[in-house]
Amino acid sequence: MKITNDQVQKPLTGELRQKQTGSTGSAQSAERQVASSSSVSSSVSVSLSPQMQSVLEQSADTSVFDAGKVEAIKSAIASGQFSIDPEKVADGLLSATRDFLQRTGG
């Protein structure tokens, strides 16, 4: 199926968007930028709010995992010294399942 420009929905702008979403403030400046662009272009420019920039900066400082611990585990596995405690694994699975069920109301 070929998509043509007349099939692409235009984003809501100005008062219509405010009526439907109740948006105000910095969203209005983004709406003005979208409204001023009358044709479809091959590139899109996006700007983040100061709050989102702050969140991204804070999250960049934290590591998702401990690289040193990962290397220690890899070495232990390679040397055959890594042992798995099945009771600890089972307890962890049960605990995670209980937490999930409490959060979801299940």
Side-chain angles (χ1 to χ4, degrees):
M1 178 176 150
K2 183 177 179 183
I3 298 176
T4 60
N5 283 345
D6 60 330
Q7 293 172 317
V8 177
Q9 292 182 343
K10 302 287 185 201
L12 296 176
T13 57
E15 287 183 27
L16 182 58
R17 182 179 189 108
Q18 286 179 6
K19 287 178 185 175
Q20 290 189 356
T21 64
S23 65
T24 58
S26 62
Q28 288 178 344
S29 62
E31 290 169 1
R32 281 189 216 110
Q33 290 174 353
V34 171
S36 67
S37 172
S38 61
S39 66
V40 177
S41 65
S42 62
S43 65
V44 175
S45 176
V46 176
S47 61
L48 301 176
S49 68
Q51 294 86 357
M52 188 59 171
Q53 289 174 357
S54 173
V55 167
L56 287 175
E57 288 169 5
Q58 290 172 4
S59 67
D61 296 338
T62 61
S63 137
V64 175
F65 63 94
D66 183 353
K69 189 173 183 179
V70 170
E71 282 302 315
I73 292 171
K74 285 170 81 172
S75 296
I77 291 171
S79 67
Q81 297 176 351
F82 186 76
S83 63
I84 298 173
D85 182 358
E87 288 184 21
K88 189 174 181 181
V89 172
D91 289 342
L93 286 171
L94 289 171
S95 177
T97 302
R98 281 188 205 105
D99 291 344
F100 174 75
L101 291 173
Q102 286 176 350
R103 283 193 313 263
T104 60

